[in-house]
mmCIF file of all heavy atoms in Angstrom:
data_model
loop_
_atom_site.group_PDB
_atom_site.id
_atom_site.type_symbol
_atom_site.label_atom_id
_atom_site.label_comp_id
_atom_site.label_asym_id
_atom_site.label_seq_id
_atom_site.Cartn_x
_atom_site.Cartn_y
_atom_site.Cartn_z
ATOM 1 N N GLN A 160 90.893 -70.623 90.578
ATOM 2 C CA GLN A 160 91.585 -70.976 89.344
ATOM 3 C C GLN A 160 92.911 -70.250 89.299
ATOM 4 O O GLN A 160 93.076 -69.217 89.951
ATOM 5 C CB GLN A 160 90.767 -70.515 88.132
ATOM 6 C CG GLN A 160 89.658 -71.470 87.796
ATOM 7 C CD GLN A 160 88.699 -70.898 86.789
ATOM 8 O OE1 GLN A 160 88.685 -69.697 86.523
ATOM 9 N NE2 GLN A 160 87.873 -71.753 86.236
ATOM 10 N N GLY A 161 93.836 -70.766 88.519
ATOM 11 C CA GLY A 161 95.096 -70.055 88.285
ATOM 12 C C GLY A 161 96.215 -70.511 89.202
ATOM 13 O O GLY A 161 96.109 -71.515 89.911
ATOM 14 N N ASP A 162 97.288 -69.739 89.180
ATOM 15 C CA ASP A 162 98.539 -70.159 89.829
ATOM 16 C C ASP A 162 98.443 -70.264 91.342
ATOM 17 O O ASP A 162 99.043 -71.155 91.932
ATOM 18 C CB ASP A 162 99.658 -69.162 89.497
ATOM 19 C CG ASP A 162 100.057 -69.272 88.030
ATOM 20 O OD1 ASP A 162 99.699 -70.301 87.415
ATOM 21 O OD2 ASP A 162 100.688 -68.339 87.525
ATOM 22 N N VAL A 163 97.736 -69.326 91.970
ATOM 23 C CA VAL A 163 97.749 -69.310 93.442
ATOM 24 C C VAL A 163 97.142 -70.599 94.004
ATOM 25 O O VAL A 163 97.822 -71.336 94.734
ATOM 26 C CB VAL A 163 97.061 -68.033 93.990
ATOM 27 C CG1 VAL A 163 96.956 -68.094 95.500
ATOM 28 C CG2 VAL A 163 97.846 -66.801 93.563
ATOM 29 N N PRO A 164 95.880 -70.939 93.679
ATOM 30 C CA PRO A 164 95.350 -72.199 94.223
ATOM 31 C C PRO A 164 96.121 -73.423 93.717
ATOM 32 O O PRO A 164 96.260 -74.403 94.448
ATOM 33 C CB PRO A 164 93.894 -72.227 93.749
ATOM 34 C CG PRO A 164 93.807 -71.254 92.642
ATOM 35 C CD PRO A 164 94.863 -70.207 92.895
ATOM 36 N N ARG A 165 96.648 -73.345 92.495
ATOM 37 C CA ARG A 165 97.366 -74.506 91.960
ATOM 38 C C ARG A 165 98.613 -74.800 92.798
ATOM 39 O O ARG A 165 98.882 -75.949 93.157
ATOM 40 C CB ARG A 165 97.747 -74.273 90.502
ATOM 41 C CG ARG A 165 98.405 -75.493 89.884
ATOM 42 C CD ARG A 165 98.641 -75.372 88.384
ATOM 43 N NE ARG A 165 97.474 -74.869 87.700
ATOM 44 C CZ ARG A 165 97.448 -73.730 86.996
ATOM 45 N NH1 ARG A 165 98.524 -72.980 86.890
ATOM 46 N NH2 ARG A 165 96.345 -73.348 86.401
ATOM 47 N N LEU A 166 99.365 -73.748 93.136
ATOM 48 C CA LEU A 166 100.596 -73.963 93.912
ATOM 49 C C LEU A 166 100.275 -74.414 95.337
ATOM 50 O O LEU A 166 100.970 -75.255 95.897
ATOM 51 C CB LEU A 166 101.448 -72.689 93.930
ATOM 52 C CG LEU A 166 102.098 -72.350 92.580
ATOM 53 C CD1 LEU A 166 102.810 -71.016 92.634
ATOM 54 C CD2 LEU A 166 103.066 -73.457 92.159
ATOM 55 N N VAL A 167 99.220 -73.853 95.911
ATOM 56 C CA VAL A 167 98.824 -74.281 97.263
ATOM 57 C C VAL A 167 98.417 -75.752 97.224
ATOM 58 O O VAL A 167 98.852 -76.565 98.050
ATOM 59 C CB VAL A 167 97.672 -73.392 97.802
ATOM 60 C CG1 VAL A 167 97.152 -73.930 99.132
ATOM 61 C CG2 VAL A 167 98.126 -71.944 97.959
ATOM 62 N N ALA A 168 97.607 -76.111 96.236
ATOM 63 C CA ALA A 168 97.158 -77.508 96.111
ATOM 64 C C ALA A 168 98.351 -78.431 95.889
ATOM 65 O O ALA A 168 98.428 -79.518 96.475
ATOM 66 C CB ALA A 168 96.161 -77.635 94.957
ATOM 67 N N ARG A 169 99.291 -77.993 95.071
ATOM 68 C CA ARG A 169 100.460 -78.846 94.793
ATOM 69 C C ARG A 169 101.224 -79.139 96.076
ATOM 70 O O ARG A 169 101.608 -80.282 96.347
ATOM 71 C CB ARG A 169 101.366 -78.139 93.783
ATOM 72 C CG ARG A 169 102.488 -79.009 93.278
ATOM 73 C CD ARG A 169 103.128 -78.412 92.058
ATOM 74 N NE ARG A 169 102.164 -78.245 90.966
ATOM 75 C CZ ARG A 169 102.351 -77.453 89.898
ATOM 76 N NH1 ARG A 169 103.456 -76.744 89.796
ATOM 77 N NH2 ARG A 169 101.432 -77.373 88.970
ATOM 78 N N ALA A 170 101.421 -78.092 96.889
ATOM 79 C CA ALA A 170 102.175 -78.275 98.139
ATOM 80 C C ALA A 170 101.437 -79.216 99.092
ATOM 81 O O ALA A 170 102.027 -80.118 99.684
ATOM 82 C CB ALA A 170 102.398 -76.915 98.799
ATOM 83 N N TYR A 171 100.116 -79.025 99.209
ATOM 84 C CA TYR A 171 99.352 -79.873 100.132
ATOM 85 C C TYR A 171 99.271 -81.330 99.651
ATOM 86 O O TYR A 171 99.282 -82.263 100.444
ATOM 87 C CB TYR A 171 97.916 -79.351 100.265
ATOM 88 C CG TYR A 171 97.704 -78.174 101.190
ATOM 89 C CD1 TYR A 171 96.776 -77.180 100.854
ATOM 90 C CD2 TYR A 171 98.360 -78.056 102.416
ATOM 91 C CE1 TYR A 171 96.527 -76.105 101.699
ATOM 92 C CE2 TYR A 171 98.115 -76.982 103.263
ATOM 93 C CZ TYR A 171 97.205 -76.012 102.898
ATOM 94 O OH TYR A 171 96.951 -74.964 103.747
ATOM 95 N N LEU A 172 99.131 -81.506 98.335
ATOM 96 C CA LEU A 172 98.792 -82.840 97.829
ATOM 97 C C LEU A 172 99.995 -83.687 97.430
ATOM 98 O O LEU A 172 99.838 -84.880 97.143
ATOM 99 C CB LEU A 172 97.833 -82.726 96.636
ATOM 100 C CG LEU A 172 96.505 -82.012 96.916
ATOM 101 C CD1 LEU A 172 95.670 -81.904 95.653
ATOM 102 C CD2 LEU A 172 95.709 -82.742 98.006
ATOM 103 N N ALA A 173 101.197 -83.079 97.411
ATOM 104 C CA ALA A 173 102.378 -83.816 96.924
ATOM 105 C C ALA A 173 102.572 -85.167 97.620
ATOM 106 O O ALA A 173 102.773 -86.186 96.941
ATOM 107 C CB ALA A 173 103.622 -82.946 97.055
ATOM 108 N N PRO A 174 102.487 -85.235 98.963
ATOM 109 C CA PRO A 174 102.720 -86.545 99.605
ATOM 110 C C PRO A 174 101.696 -87.600 99.179
ATOM 111 O O PRO A 174 102.038 -88.769 98.988
ATOM 112 C CB PRO A 174 102.584 -86.247 101.107
ATOM 113 C CG PRO A 174 102.786 -84.773 101.232
ATOM 114 C CD PRO A 174 102.283 -84.172 99.958
ATOM 115 N N MET A 175 100.441 -87.182 98.986
ATOM 116 C CA MET A 175 99.405 -88.144 98.574
ATOM 117 C C MET A 175 99.627 -88.612 97.156
ATOM 118 O O MET A 175 99.400 -89.768 96.820
ATOM 119 C CB MET A 175 98.025 -87.495 98.650
ATOM 120 C CG MET A 175 97.613 -87.136 100.042
ATOM 121 S SD MET A 175 95.917 -86.567 99.992
ATOM 122 C CE MET A 175 95.663 -86.331 101.736
ATOM 123 N N ARG A 176 100.035 -87.674 96.321
ATOM 124 C CA ARG A 176 100.309 -88.024 94.929
ATOM 125 C C ARG A 176 101.420 -89.060 94.865
ATOM 126 O O ARG A 176 101.319 -90.064 94.166
ATOM 127 C CB ARG A 176 100.738 -86.755 94.194
ATOM 128 C CG ARG A 176 100.031 -86.557 92.907
ATOM 129 C CD ARG A 176 100.275 -85.197 92.382
ATOM 130 N NE ARG A 176 101.286 -85.247 91.333
ATOM 131 C CZ ARG A 176 101.566 -84.225 90.546
ATOM 132 N NH1 ARG A 176 100.935 -83.080 90.721
ATOM 133 N NH2 ARG A 176 102.466 -84.336 89.612
ATOM 134 N N GLN A 177 102.475 -88.776 95.650
ATOM 135 C CA GLN A 177 103.597 -89.719 95.661
ATOM 136 C C GLN A 177 103.187 -91.078 96.215
ATOM 137 O O GLN A 177 103.691 -92.115 95.784
ATOM 138 C CB GLN A 177 104.763 -89.151 96.475
ATOM 139 C CG GLN A 177 105.631 -88.205 95.654
ATOM 140 C CD GLN A 177 106.237 -87.091 96.490
ATOM 141 O OE1 GLN A 177 106.422 -87.260 97.693
ATOM 142 N NE2 GLN A 177 106.535 -85.959 95.865
ATOM 143 N N ALA A 178 102.259 -91.073 97.162
ATOM 144 C CA ALA A 178 101.839 -92.339 97.781
ATOM 145 C C ALA A 178 100.878 -93.119 96.883
ATOM 146 O O ALA A 178 100.503 -94.241 97.202
ATOM 147 C CB ALA A 178 101.186 -92.058 99.129
ATOM 148 N N GLY A 179 100.435 -92.512 95.786
ATOM 149 C CA GLY A 179 99.604 -93.241 94.823
ATOM 150 C C GLY A 179 98.160 -93.442 95.252
ATOM 151 O O GLY A 179 97.583 -94.508 94.990
ATOM 152 N N ILE A 180 97.560 -92.423 95.870
ATOM 153 C CA ILE A 180 96.120 -92.562 96.180
ATOM 154 C C ILE A 180 95.322 -92.667 94.876
ATOM 155 O O ILE A 180 95.728 -92.103 93.854
ATOM 156 C CB ILE A 180 95.584 -91.372 97.010
ATOM 157 C CG1 ILE A 180 95.800 -90.030 96.286
ATOM 158 C CG2 ILE A 180 96.179 -91.343 98.400
ATOM 159 C CD1 ILE A 180 94.941 -88.892 96.818
ATOM 160 N N ASP A 181 94.186 -93.380 94.915
ATOM 161 C CA ASP A 181 93.320 -93.384 93.724
ATOM 162 C C ASP A 181 91.991 -92.676 93.986
ATOM 163 O O ASP A 181 91.163 -92.528 93.091
ATOM 164 C CB ASP A 181 93.100 -94.804 93.189
ATOM 165 C CG ASP A 181 92.189 -95.660 94.071
ATOM 166 O OD1 ASP A 181 91.657 -95.152 95.090
ATOM 167 O OD2 ASP A 181 92.016 -96.843 93.744
ATOM 168 N N THR A 182 91.804 -92.226 95.249
ATOM 169 C CA THR A 182 90.560 -91.546 95.626
ATOM 170 C C THR A 182 90.903 -90.450 96.619
ATOM 171 O O THR A 182 91.721 -90.668 97.523
ATOM 172 C CB THR A 182 89.585 -92.550 96.300
ATOM 173 O OG1 THR A 182 89.368 -93.647 95.399
ATOM 174 C CG2 THR A 182 88.259 -91.920 96.656
ATOM 175 N N LEU A 183 90.288 -89.292 96.447
ATOM 176 C CA LEU A 183 90.489 -88.206 97.415
ATOM 177 C C LEU A 183 89.134 -87.739 97.922
ATOM 178 O O LEU A 183 88.260 -87.364 97.131
ATOM 179 C CB LEU A 183 91.225 -87.023 96.775
ATOM 180 C CG LEU A 183 91.466 -85.829 97.712
ATOM 181 C CD1 LEU A 183 92.512 -86.165 98.777
ATOM 182 C CD2 LEU A 183 91.887 -84.582 96.948
ATOM 183 N N VAL A 184 88.960 -87.760 99.243
ATOM 184 C CA VAL A 184 87.723 -87.265 99.837
ATOM 185 C C VAL A 184 87.868 -85.764 100.082
ATOM 186 O O VAL A 184 88.809 -85.330 100.760
ATOM 187 C CB VAL A 184 87.426 -87.955 101.188
ATOM 188 C CG1 VAL A 184 86.108 -87.447 101.771
ATOM 189 C CG2 VAL A 184 87.396 -89.463 101.034
ATOM 190 N N LEU A 185 86.943 -84.995 99.536
ATOM 191 C CA LEU A 185 86.929 -83.549 99.781
ATOM 192 C C LEU A 185 86.190 -83.342 101.108
ATOM 193 O O LEU A 185 84.984 -83.150 101.141
ATOM 194 C CB LEU A 185 86.226 -82.818 98.636
ATOM 195 C CG LEU A 185 86.761 -83.104 97.228
ATOM 196 C CD1 LEU A 185 86.036 -82.267 96.191
ATOM 197 C CD2 LEU A 185 88.259 -82.862 97.153
ATOM 198 N N GLY A 186 86.957 -83.425 102.203
ATOM 199 C CA GLY A 186 86.358 -83.448 103.533
ATOM 200 C C GLY A 186 86.144 -82.080 104.138
ATOM 201 O O GLY A 186 86.362 -81.879 105.332
ATOM 202 N N CYS A 187 85.718 -81.146 103.337
ATOM 203 C CA CYS A 187 85.409 -79.797 103.812
ATOM 204 C C CYS A 187 84.437 -79.189 102.813
ATOM 205 O O CYS A 187 84.578 -79.381 101.601
ATOM 206 C CB CYS A 187 86.687 -78.956 103.881
ATOM 207 S SG CYS A 187 86.393 -77.224 104.288
ATOM 208 N N THR A 188 83.463 -78.477 103.349
ATOM 209 C CA THR A 188 82.401 -77.928 102.512
ATOM 210 C C THR A 188 82.903 -76.996 101.406
ATOM 211 O O THR A 188 82.224 -76.822 100.404
ATOM 212 C CB THR A 188 81.451 -77.108 103.395
ATOM 213 O OG1 THR A 188 82.232 -76.192 104.173
ATOM 214 C CG2 THR A 188 80.657 -78.007 104.315
ATOM 215 N N HIS A 189 84.048 -76.351 101.619
ATOM 216 C CA HIS A 189 84.537 -75.369 100.643
ATOM 217 C C HIS A 189 85.264 -76.009 99.464
ATOM 218 O O HIS A 189 85.391 -75.391 98.418
ATOM 219 C CB HIS A 189 85.499 -74.395 101.307
ATOM 220 C CG HIS A 189 84.847 -73.392 102.195
ATOM 221 N ND1 HIS A 189 84.100 -73.761 103.284
ATOM 222 C CD2 HIS A 189 84.834 -72.045 102.161
ATOM 223 C CE1 HIS A 189 83.649 -72.663 103.892
ATOM 224 N NE2 HIS A 189 84.091 -71.612 103.228
ATOM 225 N N TYR A 190 85.760 -77.218 99.662
ATOM 226 C CA TYR A 190 86.685 -77.766 98.668
ATOM 227 C C TYR A 190 86.055 -78.096 97.317
ATOM 228 O O TYR A 190 86.762 -78.078 96.307
ATOM 229 C CB TYR A 190 87.422 -78.992 99.234
ATOM 230 C CG TYR A 190 88.271 -78.731 100.469
ATOM 231 C CD1 TYR A 190 88.973 -79.759 101.084
ATOM 232 C CD2 TYR A 190 88.383 -77.455 101.022
ATOM 233 C CE1 TYR A 190 89.759 -79.543 102.212
ATOM 234 C CE2 TYR A 190 89.153 -77.227 102.161
ATOM 235 C CZ TYR A 190 89.834 -78.275 102.751
ATOM 236 O OH TYR A 190 90.594 -78.053 103.871
ATOM 237 N N PRO A 191 84.742 -78.402 97.252
ATOM 238 C CA PRO A 191 84.165 -78.634 95.920
ATOM 239 C C PRO A 191 84.376 -77.448 94.973
ATOM 240 O O PRO A 191 84.449 -77.631 93.758
ATOM 241 C CB PRO A 191 82.678 -78.865 96.209
ATOM 242 C CG PRO A 191 82.665 -79.447 97.591
ATOM 243 C CD PRO A 191 83.775 -78.728 98.320
ATOM 244 N N LEU A 192 84.512 -76.236 95.516
ATOM 245 C CA LEU A 192 84.754 -75.094 94.632
ATOM 246 C C LEU A 192 86.139 -75.153 93.990
ATOM 247 O O LEU A 192 86.375 -74.534 92.964
ATOM 248 C CB LEU A 192 84.593 -73.767 95.391
ATOM 249 C CG LEU A 192 83.147 -73.266 95.458
ATOM 250 C CD1 LEU A 192 82.383 -73.954 96.566
ATOM 251 C CD2 LEU A 192 83.093 -71.766 95.619
ATOM 252 N N LEU A 193 87.050 -75.898 94.613
ATOM 253 C CA LEU A 193 88.410 -76.020 94.084
ATOM 254 C C LEU A 193 88.589 -77.322 93.299
ATOM 255 O O LEU A 193 89.711 -77.712 92.985
ATOM 256 C CB LEU A 193 89.419 -75.979 95.245
ATOM 257 C CG LEU A 193 89.541 -74.612 95.928
ATOM 258 C CD1 LEU A 193 90.006 -74.770 97.355
ATOM 259 C CD2 LEU A 193 90.494 -73.714 95.155
ATOM 260 N N ARG A 194 87.472 -77.965 93.005
ATOM 261 C CA ARG A 194 87.513 -79.290 92.384
ATOM 262 C C ARG A 194 88.363 -79.311 91.110
ATOM 263 O O ARG A 194 89.172 -80.214 90.917
ATOM 264 C CB ARG A 194 86.075 -79.718 92.069
ATOM 265 C CG ARG A 194 85.931 -81.045 91.397
ATOM 266 C CD ARG A 194 84.454 -81.325 91.153
ATOM 267 N NE ARG A 194 83.889 -82.169 92.171
ATOM 268 C CZ ARG A 194 83.969 -83.503 92.205
ATOM 269 N NH1 ARG A 194 84.594 -84.135 91.252
ATOM 270 N NH2 ARG A 194 83.426 -84.194 93.158
ATOM 271 N N ALA A 195 88.210 -78.302 90.241
ATOM 272 C CA ALA A 195 88.920 -78.329 88.952
ATOM 273 C C ALA A 195 90.434 -78.308 89.175
ATOM 274 O O ALA A 195 91.172 -79.073 88.550
ATOM 275 C CB ALA A 195 88.479 -77.146 88.095
ATOM 276 N N VAL A 196 90.890 -77.450 90.085
ATOM 277 C CA VAL A 196 92.332 -77.350 90.366
ATOM 278 C C VAL A 196 92.836 -78.651 90.992
ATOM 279 O O VAL A 196 93.908 -79.149 90.631
ATOM 280 C CB VAL A 196 92.601 -76.146 91.307
ATOM 281 C CG1 VAL A 196 93.982 -76.217 91.916
ATOM 282 C CG2 VAL A 196 92.429 -74.845 90.545
ATOM 283 N N LEU A 197 92.071 -79.204 91.914
ATOM 284 C CA LEU A 197 92.493 -80.434 92.586
ATOM 285 C C LEU A 197 92.562 -81.591 91.578
ATOM 286 O O LEU A 197 93.509 -82.384 91.591
ATOM 287 C CB LEU A 197 91.526 -80.787 93.732
ATOM 288 C CG LEU A 197 91.381 -79.719 94.823
ATOM 289 C CD1 LEU A 197 90.400 -80.167 95.894
ATOM 290 C CD2 LEU A 197 92.730 -79.419 95.474
ATOM 291 N N ALA A 198 91.567 -81.655 90.706
ATOM 292 C CA ALA A 198 91.540 -82.725 89.698
ATOM 293 C C ALA A 198 92.739 -82.603 88.762
ATOM 294 O O ALA A 198 93.374 -83.597 88.409
ATOM 295 C CB ALA A 198 90.235 -82.668 88.907
ATOM 296 N N GLU A 199 93.054 -81.378 88.413
ATOM 297 C CA GLU A 199 94.181 -81.152 87.509
ATOM 298 C C GLU A 199 95.498 -81.555 88.181
ATOM 299 O O GLU A 199 96.354 -82.180 87.576
ATOM 300 C CB GLU A 199 94.222 -79.664 87.196
ATOM 301 C CG GLU A 199 94.681 -79.309 85.811
ATOM 302 C CD GLU A 199 94.548 -77.806 85.658
ATOM 303 O OE1 GLU A 199 93.405 -77.359 85.493
ATOM 304 O OE2 GLU A 199 95.572 -77.108 85.750
ATOM 305 N N GLU A 200 95.646 -81.225 89.451
ATOM 306 C CA GLU A 200 96.870 -81.560 90.178
ATOM 307 C C GLU A 200 97.040 -83.058 90.356
ATOM 308 O O GLU A 200 98.138 -83.583 90.310
ATOM 309 C CB GLU A 200 96.852 -80.905 91.569
ATOM 310 C CG GLU A 200 97.482 -79.552 91.636
ATOM 311 C CD GLU A 200 98.818 -79.464 90.912
ATOM 312 O OE1 GLU A 200 99.753 -80.205 91.282
ATOM 313 O OE2 GLU A 200 98.935 -78.668 89.973
ATOM 314 N N LEU A 201 95.927 -83.754 90.583
ATOM 315 C CA LEU A 201 96.023 -85.186 90.895
ATOM 316 C C LEU A 201 95.967 -86.067 89.649
ATOM 317 O O LEU A 201 96.399 -87.219 89.689
ATOM 318 C CB LEU A 201 94.909 -85.586 91.871
ATOM 319 C CG LEU A 201 95.096 -85.026 93.280
ATOM 320 C CD1 LEU A 201 93.836 -85.216 94.110
ATOM 321 C CD2 LEU A 201 96.284 -85.675 93.987
#
Side-chain angles (χ1 to χ4, degrees):
Q160 279 169 345
D162 290 343
V163 174
R165 184 173 314 119
L166 289 174
V167 174
R169 188 166 300 163
Y171 280 143
L172 301 177
M175 295 186 176
R176 228 168 101 170
Q177 277 148 26
I180 58 162
D181 72 3
T182 304
L183 179 70
V184 182
L185 306 183
C187 174
T188 51
H189 286 60
Y190 299 179
L192 275 82
L193 290 154
R194 179 180 262 277
V196 165
L197 301 180
E199 214 176 284
E200 268 315 300
L201 290 168

